[in-house]
Amino acid sequence: MAEEKSQASSSKMLTLKASDGVLFEVELNIAKEMKTVQAYIDDCEDIETIPIPNVLGKHLAIVIEYIKKTNEEYDAEFEKQWNMDDLQLLLLAANYLNISGLQECLCKAIAKRIENKSPEYVRKVFNIENDHSPEEEAKLRKEYKWAFEGVDKD
Amino acid sequence: MAAQYCCNQPMLQPTTTNTILPDELIDDILLRLPVRSLLRFKSVCKSWKTLITHPKFANIHLRSSTAAEDTSMANKQLIFLTKIEPYVILTYHLKQLFENPSTCAEPVISSFLKMKKYGIYGSCNGLLCLFDRSQCRLKLFNPSIRVKSKKSPQVFPPLDWTMRYYGFGYDQINDKYKFLVVLKDYDNGETLTKIYTFGEDSCKTIQNFPCNFICF
């Protein structure tokens, strides 16, 4: 990433301010990987501090680290450190900041974690209320009985 | 694909627990799940059932799982139809076969009634084209969701013709699956080419189909 940018732009620093007030000084070319931030810079060239109102400092730090280090190896290990809640918050951050590589990495990770889980587990993960009637649910479970075999215990 | 779902509108301050992901992100996650998980998750709630059942979702899921960039063979399967008791369809995941060649792979078994009559005469987009040789009728079977179609009308009178060449494929322009067969009557040397479009009442004959094969 750094090699593509000119000497002048890669040394310019920018400040990002997370929702809880934590400040991050990042190089311009790192910040530009967040397309939302890029759009901000395009609109106001002289800006030095950019507010990121939807992302906590804790998650912004992780996102910035990801942008700096991303490669196949890093991505493969990246998601293992975070619990499901953090993964979802990081996904919201990646989506808001418009970083497609990170969004894809996180979606893949979340999908992998729920792949062999029960519907009850999935409802808890995504805070979804079960609005199927008991009859409907029983019908679905019967129709796809084979898809419920070997599912991880909750 | 991820770019289609990016939401650039400011959202309310997320809480650290009880996160609610917007629909487009849920879609992005669901599209990465295997079919088996998706069928199970129809039970999660009504809106998930509606989404997963929608043909558009199935199309996007198919396209993303057969994408050229996917070199992992994660979605490729090897399928057999056993010709001895029990007559079943065995599905092996290619990835497992290549990753652990020295261990025995476990197949997934699926079957339906009267499987004995059928042979696999083609596959396309995860669908198997099955042919009943005694009645000369076709059936489509999707082993991922274990759903079969009704039988087709008779493609050709079984006793009069021998099948020389056949093919099963997808007509993207008309969104239809088709089966083509070149038949030969060895008594008088005549050839006949038939094409069946799944869902229709009868087969069409193709006139003057080029079939000058050396071994014909």
Side-chain angles (χ1 to χ4, degrees):
Chain A
M1 265 181 319
E3 310 91 270
E4 294 167 22
K5 314 292 173 183
S6 69
Q7 273 302 104
S9 65
S10 65
S11 56
K12 185 179 173 199
M13 303 298 275
L14 210 65
T15 304
L16 301 176
K17 184 174 175 187
S19 60
D20 47 3
V22 182
L23 298 171
F24 295 89
E25 238 200 317
V26 291
E27 289 172 0
L28 184 63
N29 58 342
I30 301 287
K32 281 181 165 195
E33 290 299 313
M34 310 179 202
K35 298 212 179 62
T36 304
V37 171
Q38 170 78 74
Y40 213 106
I41 299 169
D42 289 342
D43 278 346
C44 352
E45 280 168 21
D46 295 335
I47 198 86
E48 277 181 16
T49 303
I50 296 175
I52 313 284
N54 299 328
V55 187
L56 290 168
K58 159 186 172 186
H59 296 117
L60 192 53
I62 297 169
V63 167
I64 291 168
E65 174 106 351
Y66 175 88
I67 296 172
K68 286 182 183 166
K69 294 189 175 167
T70 179
N71 62 33
E72 228 177 276
E73 238 182 271
Y74 183 80
D75 286 13
E77 298 298 306
F78 173 73
E79 58 91 5
K80 293 181 186 167
Q81 319 164 55
W82 319 116
N83 65 30
M84 184 57 93
D85 220 45
D86 279 324
L87 281 183
Q88 291 189 62
L89 290 167
L90 285 167
L91 178 57
L92 282 171
N95 182 238
Y96 172 71
L97 293 166
N98 200 343
I99 311 164
S100 60
L102 179 56
Q103 182 170 329
E104 191 177 323
C105 176
L106 291 165
C107 283
K108 268 193 201 154
I110 294 174
K112 201 80 202 144
R113 289 204 195 180
I114 61 171
E115 192 177 309
N116 207 41
K117 299 293 186 203
S118 67
E120 292 79 18
Y121 184 96
V122 167
R123 284 185 205 123
K124 284 207 198 90
V125 162
F126 296 113
N127 287 291
I128 295 173
E129 206 189 297
N130 181 7
D131 56 354
H132 280 309
S133 70
E135 295 80 29
E136 262 172 56
E137 193 174 344
K139 191 171 163 213
L140 284 167
R141 278 177 185 262
K142 188 172 173 208
E143 192 180 344
Y144 302 115
K145 196 164 126 196
W146 52 274
F148 285 83
E149 286 162 14
V151 161
D152 294 345
K153 297 247 180 279
D154 289 351
Chain B
M1 185 192 68
Q4 287 174 33
Y5 296 97
C6 271
C7 160
N8 286 319
Q9 292 146 25
M11 289 175 284
L12 294 172
Q13 174 90 24
T15 51
T16 51
T17 56
N18 302 319
T19 314
I20 306 270
L21 292 177
D23 284 350
E24 55 265 37
L25 292 181
I26 298 277
D27 288 3
D28 204 344
I29 294 168
L30 291 182
L31 281 169
R32 295 166 199 276
L33 288 168
V35 177
R36 191 167 170 266
S37 307
L38 289 169
L39 294 175
R40 192 186 322 128
F41 295 159
K42 281 194 190 188
S43 311
V44 168
C45 65
K46 285 195 207 265
S47 63
W48 279 38
K49 182 184 172 205
T50 306
L51 170 74
I52 292 167
T53 313
H54 201 286
K56 199 169 171 195
F57 182 82
N59 275 331
I60 302 176
H61 188 270
L62 172 68
R63 271 189 276 130
S64 52
S65 61
T66 54
E69 310 89 62
D70 175 29
T71 52
S72 69
M73 293 191 290
N75 293 296
K76 297 266 182 278
Q77 296 167 341
L78 195 56
I79 300 200
F80 295 91
L81 174 53
T82 61
K83 301 315 291 170
I84 54 168
E85 286 286 345
Y87 295 90
V88 289
I89 286 186
L90 296 174
T91 303
Y92 291 88
H93 285 268
L94 262 192
K95 195 170 180 210
Q96 273 172 22
L97 292 174
F98 279 91
E99 273 178 356
N100 301 306
S102 53
T103 59
C104 270
E106 272 304 311
V108 173
I109 298 174
S110 55
S111 64
F112 53 83
L113 290 172
K114 302 181 193 166
M115 193 119 239
K116 185 177 175 180
K117 308 192 295 175
Y118 292 96
I120 298 179
Y121 277 62
S123 81
C124 181
N125 293 341
L127 290 180
L128 295 178
C129 176
L130 305 175
F131 187 69
D132 170 350
R133 281 166 291 232
S134 60
Q135 285 189 8
C136 287
R137 291 181 192 257
L138 296 158
K139 213 190 253 277
L140 289 182
F141 180 60
N142 183 338
S144 299
I145 61 174
R146 306 195 189 180
V147 172
K148 64 185 183 343
S149 71
K150 295 201 176 97
K151 274 189 296 200
S152 74
Q154 194 178 69
V155 182
F156 58 88
L159 298 175
D160 302 346
W161 299 95
T162 308
M163 287 171 82
R164 288 297 290 139
Y165 297 94
Y166 53 83
F168 171 63
Y170 175 63
D171 171 1
Q172 210 170 335
I173 295 173
N174 296 302
D175 187 24
K176 296 274 183 200
Y177 287 88
K178 299 191 178 201
F179 181 79
L180 179 126
V181 60
V182 175
L183 304 159
K184 181 146 184 170
D185 182 335
Y186 280 97
D187 293 335
N188 57 25
E190 261 182 67
T191 67
L192 174 66
T193 304
K194 288 264 195 181
I195 189 160
Y196 176 64
T197 301
F198 283 89
E200 286 180 8
D201 291 336
S202 60
C203 296
K204 284 209 318 229
T205 301
I206 299 183
Q207 306 291 355
N208 304 317
F209 187 77
C211 45
N212 298 322
F213 303 104
I214 297 168
C215 55
F216 201 51

